[in-house]
Amino acid sequence: MFSLKNVLGLQTRGFSTGLSVNEKMWRLPFFPPAAVWPNYKDNYTHRRHRTNIFYNTYGVQKQSTMKCVDNSALSRQSQAMGRPAMIIQVYSEKHKHRPHEAQGKLGDRVLCAVMGQKKKGIIVGLKAKQLHGIPRFDSNNVVLIEENGNPSGTRITAPLPNVIRPILKRDSNPKKADYTKLLAIASNWI
């Protein structure tokens, strides 16, 4: 009986038994006897599992508490009374149609409840793990803004990450809301 292995002169090899002198190491069957390393098969991840791997964690969502880091009267009053701002709505496309609604990342607009008032703000710092080169903060920070995009305060007390510069420039529209004025009043950048 002829087999393809005999015709082509291929030798088959099973798992190492360790009984002969030539078999000093355990190897998988598809590696030749002379191969020393690697003696394992690479892990295979299905493509459907790879699509949902995000290299940074999720951001803030509804009911998350935020620290106001500008010097507006509302921010100072909330800090003095120990009542941080709470997110009511996140204006972001990330995870917009998921059960817990959208996730807010750096530079996203949010609607906050501060001292019984509704104010819009921009996220400028997150506690969650970030991508390499993006700083993490001790608290979730927000800067309160008006409807036209102007900041409510005249100074920002916390340092801002440099990565939000292009995000705010991209989202700015001179006829609707100009977020670049927030960049002008920031003194510390990381």
Side-chain angles (χ1 to χ4, degrees), residues 121-187:
I122 294 181
I123 300 171
V124 294
L126 291 174
K127 285 168 63 172
K129 184 179 177 186
Q130 299 294 313
L131 290 170
H132 178 73
I134 301 176
R136 291 174 65 180
F137 291 85
D138 293 338
S139 60
N140 294 323
N141 299 338
V142 68
V143 173
L144 300 179
I145 58 172
E146 304 296 333
E147 290 293 327
N148 58 1
N150 292 337
S152 296
T154 57
R155 199 173 343 116
I156 296 175
T157 57
L160 300 184
N162 274 315
V163 294
I164 66 168
R165 283 181 195 253
I167 296 169
L168 293 179
K169 286 180 183 176
R170 181 193 67 213
D171 293 343
S172 291
N173 186 348
K175 292 185 179 178
K176 293 181 182 175
D178 189 12
Y179 303 123
T180 55
K181 294 178 183 176
L182 182 118
L183 305 175
I185 65 168
S187 56

Side-chain angles (χ1 to χ4, degrees), residues 62-131:
K62 287 182 181 180
Q63 302 289 318
S64 298
T65 57
M66 306 290 283
K67 179 181 176 186
C68 299
V69 292
D70 57 350
N71 68 341
S72 62
L74 203 57
S75 299
R76 287 183 291 161
Q77 185 181 1
S78 71
Q79 294 293 357
M81 295 187 71
R83 294 174 62 185
M86 186 183 295
I87 293 180
I88 299 172
Q89 182 68 37
V90 179
Y91 303 109
S92 173
E93 292 298 319
K94 182 123 178 108
H95 298 167
K96 187 176 180 182
H97 301 293
R98 293 242 178 139
H100 294 292
E101 300 278 338
Q103 300 279 336
K105 300 283 192 173
L106 288 174
D108 285 341
R109 287 185 317 124
V110 292
L111 182 65
C112 297
V114 188
M115 299 298 296
Q117 297 180 29
K118 290 195 286 187
K119 291 289 283 186
K120 288 191 178 173
I122 294 181
I123 300 171
V124 294
L126 291 174
K127 285 168 63 172
K129 184 179 177 186
Q130 299 294 313
L131 290 170

Side-chain angles (χ1 to χ4, degrees), residues 8 28 40 61 144 153 161 180:
L8 296 176
L28 289 173
Y40 60 87
Q61 59 188 11
L144 300 179
T180 55

